[in-house]
Amino acid sequence: MGRRSSRAAQRDILDPMMKRRDFLKLGLASSLLASCDAWKSGGDLGLALGGGGARGLAHIVMLEVLDELKIRPHRIAGTSIGAVIGTMYAAGLSGREIRELVDRLTVSENESWLSGLFEQDLGRWWDLIQLKLGSGGLIDTDAFARYIEETSGVSRFDQLGIPLQIVAADFWQRGQVVFESGNLGPALQASIAIPGLFSPVQHRGRVLVDGGLVNPVPYDLLFDDCDVVVAIDVSGKRYSQSEDAPGYFETLFNTMQIMQAQILHEKMQRRPPHIYIRPELEDVRVLEFNRVDEIYRQSMPARSQLRQALRQRYPV
């Protein structure tokens, strides 16, 4: 009788006029039921998604592996682009749905970042950012945060189907700030606020910037609550393309990445995650979202590596 009542309730939820949030909750519940056997053998999985700008699109390929194996994370921690992708996944979007969303937003391979920003057809990524001078950064991300909320169907942490932690950095106190409750918007905006590019976020008396400055791959946040911790590092590799001195943005971004690499190295020396995946993403710059197809291609070997590692932990 209980099963019949449950099925009837699901039919009521799947009304043509239902809200997307209800649909996401139903999908998450179905996913959990489908993956029960995996949890019995492997334990609760924590997923850490690191920062890396456009290279973070590689996270989508890794999420598709989880979907394929019907493994649902117990908890997610994200920094910068990892926080953005993690929010959508925690809200109930599948890896494939996130890929389709990105395909609609990214500019084509034949367009530069700036041409995508200033062209007349502002229906993609650069429709979601607003040029704003004199505020500590070139770009304000209010519209982007609203878009993520509208697309995912959630605006608060407690509406997510999977617990999520988002990392930002306190500009003046020079320390880590971890969001896991309240509104998602300020957390997302703070976590992606690359100094010099995106405007810092003022929130509850603090000035917040990109979480990669303090914790580029926040897998350490997951050990206390997860049996298996998976870290996805999308920092990639950059090689000199010219004998000339690097330009302004190249200097800014690569300096941050040098610092982030050292932070992660020290963390790995103290306590590595159970599964560490680093896609071999070569010469993809922070803002090169137009190279999405190439990023996916370069991520395929890491996809196979993750699948193999997960199958060892969660045998079917």
Side-chain angles (χ1 to χ4, degrees):
M1 184 65 181
R3 290 184 180 179
R4 292 179 183 174
S5 299
S6 176
R7 291 174 182 170
Q10 288 186 5
R11 284 196 298 270
D12 291 339
I13 292 174
L14 291 173
D15 184 272
M17 299 301 293
M18 70 179 179
K19 295 181 179 178
R20 177 173 177 78
R21 188 177 301 159
D22 294 329
F23 178 76
L24 294 176
K25 288 179 180 178
L26 176 60
L28 286 167
S30 299
S31 175
L32 177 61
L33 291 173
S35 59
C36 282
D37 290 339
W39 297 131
K40 290 178 183 177
S41 58
D44 291 336
L45 183 144
L47 178 65
L49 304 179
R55 295 184 296 271
L57 298 180
H59 288 314
I60 299 170
V61 178
M62 307 306 142
L63 295 179
E64 290 174 340
V65 175
L66 295 178
D67 294 339
E68 173 192 333
L69 299 179
K70 295 183 172 59
I71 295 176
R72 179 174 182 263
H74 175 68
R75 180 177 292 276
I76 299 173
T79 293
S80 200
I81 186 67
V84 175
I85 301 294
T87 295
M88 291 189 285
Y89 197 66
L93 276 71
S94 67
R96 178 178 292 276
E97 288 175 323
I98 299 172
R99 182 191 285 250
E100 291 172 352
L101 172 64
V102 168
D103 288 344
R104 292 197 300 270
L105 291 174
T106 48
V107 296
S108 71
E109 291 189 10
N110 296 324
E111 294 173 301
S112 69
W113 177 75
L114 286 178
S115 67
L117 173 58
F118 290 111
E119 68 177 5
Q120 294 299 313
D121 178 18
L122 299 178
R124 294 167 291 185
W125 280 103
W126 316 120
D127 191 20
L128 309 175
I129 54 182
Q130 302 165 0
L131 199 62
K132 185 176 181 181
L133 301 176
S135 60
L138 294 175
I139 300 168
D140 180 70
T141 54
D142 288 343
F144 178 79
R146 288 195 300 271
Y147 181 83
I148 295 300
E149 291 180 2
E150 292 169 2
T151 302
S152 64
V154 300
S155 60
R156 296 179 54 83
F157 280 86
D158 57 13
Q159 296 170 337
L160 297 170
I162 300 173
L164 174 69
Q165 294 169 293
I166 292 178
V167 176
D170 187 313
F171 184 84
W172 294 116
Q173 296 300 317
R174 303 175 183 176
Q176 175 174 270
V177 176
V178 180
F179 290 87
E180 49 191 327
S181 63
N183 294 325
L184 282 162
L188 286 171
Q189 289 181 268
S191 192
I192 67 172
I194 300 173
L197 179 64
F198 297 113
S199 303
V201 174
Q202 295 185 351
H203 182 67
R204 296 184 177 178
R206 297 196 234 190
V207 177
L208 305 175
V209 292
D210 193 298
L213 295 170
V214 288
N215 200 344
V217 187
Y219 68 85
D220 52 302
L221 302 179
L222 302 170
F223 283 122
D224 290 344
D225 198 35
C226 300
D227 302 304
V228 178
V229 173
V230 178
I232 310 297
D233 175 8
V234 293
S235 57
K237 297 179 180 179
R238 289 284 289 125
Y239 300 100
S240 174
Q241 300 293 314
S242 170
E243 295 181 358
D244 298 332
Y248 172 79
F249 281 115
E250 185 71 21
T251 300
L252 175 65
F253 297 154
N254 210 48
T255 298
M256 286 183 57
Q257 288 156 25
I258 292 170
M259 178 187 63
Q260 291 169 8
Q262 290 303 306
I263 292 172
L264 183 57
H265 174 75
E266 292 301 319
K267 285 177 53 181
M268 295 282 285
Q269 292 296 311
R270 291 197 303 271
R271 186 178 185 183
H274 301 100
I275 299 174
Y276 173 72
I277 303 295
R278 186 173 187 263
E280 292 297 321
L281 303 168
E282 295 187 359
D283 286 322
V284 178
R285 299 182 183 183
V286 169
L287 298 176
E288 289 185 322
F289 289 92
N290 56 309
R291 296 175 63 188
V292 55
D293 292 335
E294 183 178 349
I295 293 168
Y296 290 155
R297 285 195 298 269
Q298 291 190 27
S299 302
M300 294 311 290
R303 174 191 178 105
S304 299
Q305 180 186 355
L306 178 60
R307 182 189 293 111
Q308 181 179 359
L310 289 173
R311 281 179 170 169
Q312 290 176 352
R313 293 274 181 174
Y314 302 94
V316 178

